[in-house]
Amino acid sequence: MIFRIFNLRTDLNNINEFNNLGKTNIESAIKLESGTKTLLSAHDTNDVTDNFVLEIYEDYNSYIKHADSEYFKKFAEFSKN
């Protein structure tokens, strides 16, 4: 099992795009990847720019399948900034 957790900050001007890309990433992974067991996203109730992402994969191959998906790459690329 692979477990990953991230704390991501985003600019308030980009919060809608961050949320939309995150939603697409989560919904696509759950629908298309049987080895992706959990993807969750939440934000600090006092600061919507302070976000947390939790990922659980069945195994390394399941993680790689998700990491190679276009929807994950779009979310990851956006989240870099």
Side-chain angles (χ1 to χ4, degrees):
M1 188 165 288
I2 306 279
F3 177 90
R4 297 165 42 104
I5 190 165
F6 300 92
N7 180 215
L8 303 171
R9 288 198 168 272
T10 189
D11 184 277
L12 195 55
N13 295 325
N14 297 324
I15 197 73
N16 287 335
E17 187 172 3
F18 176 85
N19 289 337
N20 289 335
L21 288 169
K23 181 179 178 181
T24 298
N25 179 47
I26 290 169
E27 289 177 349
S28 298
I30 297 303
K31 181 179 178 181
L32 301 172
E33 303 170 15
S34 62
T36 298
K37 299 304 180 187
T38 302
L39 288 179
L40 302 170
S41 179
H43 64 266
D44 184 324
T45 56
N46 296 314
D47 181 1
V48 297
T49 66
D50 191 12
N51 301 277
F52 305 92
V53 177
L54 170 73
E55 305 174 343
I56 301 175
Y57 303 96
E58 185 174 294
D59 53 28
Y60 181 74
N61 289 336
S62 298
Y63 164 69
I64 293 300
K65 180 178 180 178
H66 180 69
D68 284 343
S69 70
E70 287 304 313
Y71 41 87
F72 174 79
K73 289 177 183 177
K74 285 180 184 178
F75 178 74
E77 185 62 32
F78 181 82
S79 297
K80 283 183 190 179
N81 300 320

